Amino acid sequence: MSHIEEGKTTIKLTALAAALQSDPDAAQQHPCLILLREAVVLAARTHGGERTSSYLTYSGRPQTTNTHLALRIPGTLPRGLGLVIDKQGMLTFKGDPYGYRAMFTQVQHTVVRHYTVLAYAAALRRMRAQVSTQVMEDQVVITGVFYG
Amino acid sequence: MAKQTHLTITVGADGRVATNFFHFAGSTCLQTGRQLHTLLAELGLETEITRLTPKPELSEHPSALSLPQQETIQEGGRSDGH
């Protein structure tokens, strides 16, 4: 038997939020933060930027967040944006998007999509599936094959 | 892909996700789906299923479904590109 499921995903990192509050240093090795870090790297690469540990205010002052994750894109998002996990585990983005609002929004979506793909791939591997991914225009297709 | 148990997950630019299950025996597709969602929750990903479309063989056992039945489709009618 088989079926098709359609739905919408929300990132809610409650365990990571708790870890960041209780032991911020140890939380840097939390599996979700490791995935989030990878998502940021991929998102930065997608847009020709780089992962950083801080974003910049309008006056150029570096600001850090509780995740120590940020990214900047020369030319299109020079001040960058930072990732924050609030007490409820919701992922939010901080920065000054003035003059770069469209890219500020687009990069957020890119980070969320990369995290979604990475999480699905990780979950499938935990289920002992052989995982492959394929990027197709505006979509990413993840395939999980179960042997034995 | 031959008759190998597998699934494909399509992640759209708008955050919508479609998961297609192929060649699962009995109601194991539903069990696999639940296991997947449990693991995703551990990774901070909550999925709200907005539609579940059983393939012909699953639609013969509506009691296995916890969501309202939707229209059935022909298995293999959705290309997974693999």
Side-chain angles (χ1 to χ4, degrees):
Chain A
M1 297 181 183
S2 295
H3 65 283
I4 298 173
E5 293 177 357
E6 294 169 75
K8 198 155 172 61
T9 57
T10 305
I11 296 176
K12 191 167 185 188
L13 301 158
T14 48
L16 176 58
L20 285 168
Q21 288 191 59
S22 62
D23 191 341
D25 289 335
Q28 297 304 310
Q29 301 307 316
H30 193 282
C32 293
L33 192 52
I34 291 173
L35 279 186
L36 195 56
R37 192 175 297 129
E38 198 174 335
V40 169
V41 169
L42 292 172
R45 194 177 299 164
T46 298
H47 294 288
E50 61 178 358
R51 178 175 75 93
T52 59
S53 58
S54 63
Y55 65 94
L56 301 177
T57 64
Y58 186 79
S59 55
R61 194 172 303 162
Q63 301 287 307
T64 58
T65 65
N66 61 355
T67 64
H68 298 287
L69 287 177
L71 66 91
R72 288 183 223 162
I73 305 168
T76 55
L77 197 64
R79 292 186 293 274
L81 53 76
L83 280 71
V84 177
I85 305 296
D86 69 17
K87 292 180 181 177
Q88 286 72 44
M90 302 306 292
L91 173 64
T92 58
F93 297 86
K94 291 193 75 172
D96 187 336
Y98 181 77
Y100 306 97
R101 198 164 295 275
M103 181 56 73
F104 192 87
T105 301
Q106 187 177 349
V107 169
Q108 292 179 50
H109 291 160
T110 305
V111 171
V112 169
R113 185 170 69 169
H114 278 303
Y115 187 88
T116 301
V117 171
L118 290 169
Y120 267 95
L124 286 172
R125 287 193 190 97
R126 288 192 193 182
M127 296 167 69
R128 301 186 185 279
Q130 185 174 335
V131 180
S132 61
T133 58
Q134 186 177 5
V135 179
M136 301 166 65
E137 292 192 5
D138 285 345
Q139 298 177 335
V140 179
V141 179
I142 308 154
T143 300
V145 181
F146 298 92
Y147 294 101
Chain B
M1 187 172 292
K3 297 269 185 185
Q4 183 65 56
T5 303
H6 67 284
L7 54 84
T8 62
I9 298 140
T10 303
V11 181
D14 59 355
R16 293 191 187 276
V17 178
T19 305
N20 201 340
F21 297 75
F22 296 90
H23 311 304
F24 283 79
S27 62
T28 57
C29 57
L30 299 175
Q31 295 166 11
T32 300
R34 281 191 281 269
Q35 184 184 7
L36 179 61
H37 290 304
T38 298
L39 290 171
L40 288 171
E42 292 176 8
L43 293 171
L45 214 59
E46 296 183 348
T47 302
E48 176 194 351
I49 299 174
T50 55
R51 183 159 73 169
L52 190 149
T53 306
K55 294 183 180 178
E57 59 275 29
L58 183 59
S59 66
E60 295 169 3
H61 298 269
S63 60
L65 300 173
S66 58
L67 291 173
Q69 278 188 274
Q70 304 295 326
E71 61 186 38
T72 60
I73 65 167
Q74 292 296 318
E75 184 172 357
R78 184 184 175 95
S79 171
D80 65 358
H82 293 272

